[in-house]
């Protein structure tokens, strides 16, 4: 990302948010292959195949295919780096770029080992979400920790007092910091937008609330003007 992100961080509220949680934002962000290997050994994944990949209890190598949107070159390039780091500690990781239609279809069907998308898209644990939205009538019942998070969230959305909201959210983030169900990489890089020299009064920086470049509504476009040469 050309050194644009400020920090490595997990998917959590930003520092300027009243709901910022240091533990959830920074836990497990240090690059430490020695510690990663130790944790995998503690889990009992000590046996390896002839290629150096760790074996599951059934004797098969641990293989994880991370699927992502092919149109996002940055996602694909980032995953190529990450899969290499995982391979170094014995996890046979690979990258599967897909068009948006296939990606969405496989996501809704819960057919992925793992996927990478925008942090705010919520593209994970689809069956848990179905269980929650249908009040347990369908989907997959999540672990007790996740059910506790959902119960805290239900309480939060009907709480008017902001300090109580912060306290409830902190409990949700405490569980996220420990369990790390949803992993992050870094804060979001800026999106450069070219502007002609003859087009004036365009701010040097702006806040883009859409996924794609080109949403100029937050930069006060009524103040733009063009210089005729």
């Amino acid at each position: 990302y050309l050194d644009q992100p400020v920090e490595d961080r997990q998917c959590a509220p930003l520092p300027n948010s009243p709901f910022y949680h240091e533990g959830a934002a920074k836990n497990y962000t240090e690059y430490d292959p020695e510690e990663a290997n130790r944790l995998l050994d503690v889990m009992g994944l000590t046996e390896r195949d002839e290629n150096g990949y760790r074996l599951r209890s059934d004797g098969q190598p641990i293989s994880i295919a991370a699927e992502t949107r092919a149109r996002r070159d940055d996602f694909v390039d980032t995953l190529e780096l990450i899969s290499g780091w995982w391979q170094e500690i014995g996890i046979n990781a690979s990258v599967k770029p897909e068009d948006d239609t296939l990606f969405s279809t496989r996501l809704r069907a819960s057919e992925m080992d793992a996927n990478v998308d925008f942090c705010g898209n919520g593209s994970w644990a689809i069956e848990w979400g179905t269980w929650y939205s249908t009040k347990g009538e369908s989907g997959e019942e999540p672990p007790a920790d996740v059910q506790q998070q959902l119960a805290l969230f239900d309480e939060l959305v009907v709480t008017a007092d902001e300090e109580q909201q912060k306290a409830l959210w902190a409990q949700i983030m405490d569980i996220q910091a420990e369990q790390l169900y949803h992993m992050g990489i870094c804060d979001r890089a800026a999106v450069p937008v070219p502007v002609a020299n003859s087009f004036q009064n365009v701010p040097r920086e702006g806040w883009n609330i859409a996924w794609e470049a080109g949403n100029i509504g937050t930069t006060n476009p009524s103040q733009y003007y063009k210089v005729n040469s």
Side-chain angles (χ1 to χ4, degrees):
Y1 286 107
L2 304 176
D3 292 329
Q4 289 189 77
V6 176
E7 62 180 357
D8 298 331
R9 65 190 317 278
Q10 302 292 358
C11 291
L14 296 171
N16 57 354
S17 167
F19 298 99
Y20 179 70
H21 188 288
E22 179 76 12
K26 304 300 292 184
N27 212 16
Y28 304 116
T29 54
E30 181 180 359
Y31 179 67
D32 191 344
E34 183 176 342
E35 175 65 4
N37 273 307
R38 186 191 71 80
L39 290 171
L40 290 168
D41 288 344
V42 168
M43 291 170 63
L45 303 172
T46 56
E47 300 297 321
R48 299 184 182 235
D49 65 9
E50 64 275 10
N51 296 312
Y53 294 127
R54 295 174 182 271
L55 300 178
R56 306 181 316 204
S57 58
D58 62 2
Q60 296 299 311
I62 301 176
S63 298
I64 298 177
E67 303 178 39
T68 192
R69 302 176 188 274
R71 63 181 172 85
R72 293 295 308 208
D73 293 342
D74 56 331
F75 290 1
V76 176
D77 290 347
T78 300
L79 278 173
E80 291 289 355
L81 290 171
I82 293 172
S83 62
W85 297 329
W86 286 17
Q87 289 167 12
E88 290 174 6
I89 59 172
I91 305 298
N92 184 17
S94 60
V95 185
K96 290 181 61 178
E98 298 162 348
D99 68 68
D100 280 12
T101 300
L102 178 59
F103 181 87
S104 298
T105 299
R106 289 181 54 77
L107 174 64
R108 289 194 299 268
S110 298
E111 295 177 341
M112 300 174 172
D113 295 336
N115 77 78
V116 171
D117 205 352
F118 298 103
C119 183
N121 271 12
S123 55
W124 64 290
I126 299 298
E127 291 299 308
W128 292 355
T130 301
W131 178 91
Y132 173 70
S133 63
T134 63
K135 301 185 183 302
E137 292 184 4
S138 60
E140 178 182 306
E141 183 176 356
D145 283 337
V146 175
Q147 293 189 44
Q148 183 181 355
Q149 287 180 303
L150 293 171
L152 288 165
F153 178 77
D154 286 341
E155 184 178 353
L156 187 153
V157 296
V158 296
T159 299
D161 182 79
E162 184 173 347
E163 293 306 312
Q164 292 181 23
Q165 291 176 353
K166 291 178 183 177
L168 291 166
W169 184 257
Q171 294 179 62
I172 294 173
M173 290 290 97
D174 285 342
I175 297 172
Q176 167 64 11
E178 177 66 25
Q179 301 296 339
L180 198 63
Y181 293 110
H182 191 188
M183 293 184 288
I185 298 173
C186 60
D187 57 350
R188 193 176 183 188
V191 179
V193 178
V195 178
N197 291 335
S198 60
F199 202 57
Q200 297 292 306
N201 218 28
V202 179
R204 298 287 297 178
E205 297 180 357
W207 180 251
N208 181 9
I209 60 172
W211 292 126
E212 307 296 342
N215 180 19
I216 61 172
T218 59
T219 63
N220 203 9
S222 61
Q223 302 301 309
Y224 297 170
Y225 66 89
K226 186 176 186 300
V227 177
N228 295 320
S229 56

